[in-house]
Amino acid sequence: MFEKVLVANRGEIAVRVMRACEELGIDTVGVYSEADKHSGHVRHADEAYNVGPARAADSYLDQEAVIDAAEQAGADAIHPGYGFLAENADFAARVEGTDGITWVGPASDSMETLGEKTKARTVMEEAGVPIVPGTTDPAESADEVREFGDEHGYPVAIKAEGGGGGRGMKVVESADEADEQFESAKREGEAYFSNDSVYLERYLENPRHIEVQIIADHHGNVRHLGERDCSLQRRHQKVIEEGPSPALTDDLRERIGEAARQGVAAADYTNAGTVEFLVEEDPERDGELLGGDTNFYFLEVNTRIQVEHTVTEELTGIDIVKRQLRVAAGEQLDFSQEDVELEGHAMEFRINAENAAREFAPANSGSLETYDPPGGIGVRMDDALRQGDEVVTDYDSMIAKLVVWGEDRAECVDRSKRALAEYDVEGVVTIVPFHRLMLEDERFLAGEHTTKYLDDELDRDRLAEAQEKWGTGDAEAADDEEVTERDFTVEVNGKRFEVSLEERGAPAIPTPSSGGSGRMERPDVAEESEEESVTIEGDGETVAAEMQGTILSVDVAEGDEVAAGDVVCVLEAMKMENDVVADRGGVVSQVLVAEGDSVDMGDPLIVLE
């Protein structure tokens, strides 16, 4: 077994991996960006190293910096968690080529094969796993999209080869949209996965999203650990996951699980992974379960641990992260497929710092003035937070995961209601009110929701009502109090050390509001030089940013005439391209942003007269 593991990630998943390491007697190494120097995963690690500034590309995605930190710490393995470099085959190969360091994950060649969707589709098709009608070679032009649409019908999905979770996917409703959506999908693929290749699929209108957890060792053993239902999504991002699926018969469940195991075995895959499927929902099944003759199609393989692996752990009692470490160390799986039994029902609620009533807009900032998570039987919290922490908004908006288990789905729902009611968060807006609403929603409770339910059918007024009823919002900043005891952080050669300093009967030590540090911090806004403010001329109507993000393109110029619904610019936020559209027609009198600009929610972008 390993002696020291570097966890190449942040937040709750980094803490989750570190806890598994601790139980196996393994020391842990954390990495952090400047934005995360006071984050929970850094506190939890046995030692931690600064790998760069806040921008992920310059820190968590800096392959050389991460490997250098592992070598400096004397780590003999790297666990990537999920996100960032977790599915980067080049990084896996780089770790594999570093003497004395083991990659905790599938081999880089397997990651490359299954990570590129066209290759994965070919492997699965050859293994007898059903795939959605589509291309197995990259599409080269929008003309191919139109040809595919003419043959298979619209809508058509254009998907980035390296994409996932909706990133790099565009839906073409008609031939007229092919050019714009083709280029948009290629841009997202290049931006997020350094791969602008795309492929085409028939777009399923109302599917269920079912995924199967698998784990495989280096001795030829492949096991599946049952399925999870991830159909409750908004804009292709999961918000509640559960298992077993409330919509499948045992016959269909077994067919899907065996297809996942069969496909992974054919790919010569090792370590943990998830095989995702789309299952065609029957809109007229009227409460009956989907039977064994229901169509299901391979979607993709996630070559890493999943956010929602917790659901499977609660159902099976199997610690998947520990198994990842043991498999990477060369150990054989210690259970057979017949030993895997799903007991009870489990749900995972992603606790995102978002306002569901405002199209799930992410928080720009916030401090956890109150953070009191729930507990009790059947309740599990995966987080890296404590009261008083600043919420880092430079990365993903998920700040915690609430996982609830019950003997059956009804008890799981009741226990989840209790746990969410107990969850006390002040200082940052979260989607806890949304989760509480879902546990009263007839479609969700009946298990008849699909991946389109939130985006296309849920009444937005209900989200506003839930936020009003159960939301806390952003609390006002508390008055500063005198502090005479502080914990400081210093760095020596990039390594983090904690230093305690105490002065009694003395004035408060001047420190940055985010906590002590051995480095010079960014001054308070009041102390900064005054920046130029945006001047809006005339009395035209502004088109404002609905969320924090980066301007990818500006599609209008001063003097242009636009109609209601026209795209005026494209905003990257939440790892997705978002079209910013004009609410009404007019003439562009001012363009206040340019490509590459960072904007906050509410910032004016365009002025229309």
Side-chain angles (χ1 to χ4, degrees):
M1 184 48 69
F2 307 115
E3 294 185 1
K4 185 182 287 189
V5 170
L6 181 141
V7 183
N9 219 294
R10 65 178 299 276
E12 58 82 22
I13 186 56
V15 173
R16 167 72 186 93
V17 175
M18 290 172 188
R19 284 172 169 157
C21 289
E22 290 165 8
E23 292 179 17
L24 292 172
I26 302 170
D27 292 336
T28 59
V29 182
V31 293
Y32 63 97
S33 70
E34 287 291 334
D36 265 337
K37 64 175 63 178
H38 303 294
S39 292
H41 75 281
V42 182
R43 295 191 297 258
H44 203 94
D46 293 318
E47 54 186 299
Y49 291 79
N50 186 327
V51 289
R55 185 169 176 261
D58 300 322
S59 52
Y60 293 112
L61 293 174
D62 186 334
Q63 300 182 23
E64 184 176 353
V66 172
I67 292 177
D68 284 349
E71 292 181 318
Q72 190 173 348
D76 51 358
I78 292 178
H79 192 301
Y82 51 71
F84 294 129
L85 295 169
E87 290 185 282
N88 189 308
D90 291 338
F91 179 62
R94 198 165 179 172
V95 175
E96 291 167 346
T98 303
D99 290 339
I101 301 181
T102 298
W103 170 251
V104 182
S108 58
D109 55 355
S110 292
M111 291 180 67
E112 182 179 6
T113 297
L114 295 179
E116 291 190 6
K117 303 305 186 289
T118 52
K119 293 181 180 178
R121 284 168 58 85
T122 299
V123 169
M124 292 295 165
E125 188 173 33
E126 292 175 351
V129 179
I131 64 172
V132 179
T135 61
T136 52
D137 293 318
E140 301 295 339
S141 70
D143 287 338
E144 292 185 42
V145 179
R146 283 184 279 270
E147 292 171 6
F148 186 88
D150 290 341
E151 180 181 353
H152 296 281
Y154 290 94
V156 174
I158 307 175
K159 295 186 175 183
E161 278 202 327
R167 298 186 296 274
M169 185 181 86
K170 298 298 172 182
V171 178
V172 181
E173 300 287 352
S174 68
D176 294 340
E177 299 179 2
D179 291 283
E180 179 184 348
Q181 300 291 48
F182 183 79
E183 293 303 322
S184 181
K186 288 177 71 68
R187 279 199 308 270
E188 280 196 10
E190 177 62 36
Y192 297 115
F193 313 106
S194 301
N195 180 357
D196 69 352
S197 292
V198 297
Y199 67 102
L200 311 177
E201 278 186 357
R202 181 166 70 86
Y203 186 68
L204 301 181
E205 293 282 11
N206 279 294
R208 297 192 73 87
H209 185 126
I210 304 295
E211 61 186 30
V212 178
Q213 176 73 55
I214 61 93
I215 189 157
D217 62 24
H218 296 277
H219 305 275
N221 300 302
V222 182
R223 309 283 185 259
H224 78 75
L225 307 183
E227 94 282 0
R228 300 182 290 255
D229 194 317
C230 306
S231 300
L232 198 71
Q233 305 177 6
R234 47 98 181 144
R235 300 178 66 193
H236 309 289
Q237 298 292 312
K238 304 165 188 173
V239 284
I240 299 177
E241 303 97 343
E242 63 180 307
S245 170
L248 308 187
T249 58
D250 288 340
D251 186 18
L252 182 56
R253 176 173 293 115
E254 182 57 34
R255 283 184 62 209
I256 295 174
E258 195 53 39
R261 193 157 74 104
Q262 184 176 321
V264 165
D268 196 25
Y269 184 94
T270 57
N271 216 275
T274 299
V275 186
E276 300 194 345
F277 296 91
L278 294 179
V279 178
E280 285 194 321
E281 176 65 276
D282 179 1
E284 299 180 0
R285 63 185 175 95
D286 195 25
E288 293 186 7
L289 299 180
L290 297 172
D293 58 349
T294 301
N295 291 329
F296 65 91
Y297 304 101
F298 167 75
L299 177 62
E300 63 184 2
V301 178
N302 295 121
T303 56
R304 53 170 168 80
I305 196 75
Q306 288 274 89
V307 175
E308 59 273 20
H309 74 278
T310 57
V311 170
T312 299
E313 289 181 331
E314 295 304 304
L315 295 175
T316 63
I318 294 172
D319 187 321
I320 298 170
V321 177
K322 279 187 182 178
R323 291 312 195 287
Q324 282 189 291
L325 293 161
R326 286 173 171 157
V327 166
E331 294 184 19
Q332 190 168 346
L333 291 176
D334 56 357
F335 59 93
S336 68
Q337 187 62 56
E338 290 70 29
D339 293 332
V340 178
E341 295 183 1
L342 306 184
E343 295 188 5
H345 198 93
M347 291 183 178
E348 176 184 272
F349 302 87
R350 299 192 185 200
I351 309 301
N352 299 340
E354 300 172 4
N355 189 334
R358 298 184 62 181
E359 296 297 326
F360 293 87
N364 293 328
S365 62
S367 177
L368 293 174
E369 296 178 12
T370 300
Y371 185 72
D372 188 8
I377 188 169
V379 175
R380 165 180 170 177
M381 284 299 309
D382 276 25
D383 57 21
L385 303 170
R386 68 185 182 195
Q387 190 158 300
D389 280 356
E390 294 286 335
V391 175
V392 177
T393 57
D394 298 76
Y395 314 107
D396 191 90
S397 63
M398 188 176 70
I399 59 176
K401 299 184 313 198
L402 168 64
V403 190
V404 180
W405 179 91
E407 290 188 7
D408 54 30
R409 193 170 189 257
E411 183 179 63
C412 185
V413 167
D414 290 340
R415 188 166 284 165
S416 297
K417 289 180 179 178
R418 185 265 297 170
L420 287 163
E422 287 182 9
Y423 210 152
D424 191 5
V425 181
E426 295 282 352
V428 64
V429 67
T430 73
I431 61 169
V432 166
F434 162 80
H435 290 314
R436 297 182 70 174
L437 173 64
M438 286 299 97
L439 294 181
E440 295 183 353
D441 183 82
E442 292 182 3
R443 280 281 293 279
F444 179 75
L445 292 177
E448 295 176 352
H449 55 289
T450 69
T451 58
K452 303 297 183 63
Y453 178 55
L454 293 185
D455 292 334
D456 297 347
E457 300 180 51
L458 184 67
D459 183 352
R460 292 295 184 270
D461 289 341
R462 296 180 62 201
L463 295 175
E465 292 167 2
Q467 187 65 34
E468 178 70 23
K469 182 177 181 180
W470 293 307
T472 56
D474 301 323
E476 303 260 42
D479 293 334
D480 291 335
E481 297 178 357
E482 281 201 351
V483 180
T484 56
E485 298 179 20
R486 297 288 297 192
D487 289 330
F488 285 81
T489 304
V490 297
E491 293 170 4
V492 180
N493 294 327
K495 183 174 180 179
R496 178 189 176 94
F497 295 89
E498 302 289 344
V499 178
S500 296
L501 179 65
E502 177 179 287
E503 284 195 31
R504 298 190 179 278
I509 303 165
T511 57
S513 59
S514 59
S517 173
R519 291 178 173 231
M520 180 66 71
E521 296 289 336
R522 182 174 182 271
D524 291 335
V525 173
E527 298 173 1
E528 293 180 358
S529 59
E530 192 173 316
E531 297 183 1
E532 292 184 13
S533 59
V534 174
T535 301
I536 299 176
E537 301 170 355
D539 56 358
E541 182 172 315
T542 60
V543 180
E546 295 185 350
M547 60 190 74
Q548 180 187 41
T550 302
I551 300 297
L552 288 184
S553 69
V554 178
D555 299 336
V556 295
E558 291 184 9
D560 286 354
E561 186 172 342
V562 299
D566 284 355
V567 176
V568 296
C569 59
V570 179
L571 174 69
E572 181 276 315
M574 293 297 294
K575 307 176 185 175
M576 299 282 290
E577 288 188 14
N578 301 272
D579 291 338
V580 180
V581 300
D583 290 332
R584 66 172 181 84
V587 176
V588 178
S589 62
Q590 282 182 276
V591 177
L592 304 173
V593 291
E595 182 178 330
D597 286 354
S598 295
V599 296
D600 287 329
M601 185 190 308
D603 283 357
L605 308 177
I606 305 292
V607 181
L608 296 176
E609 296 286 357

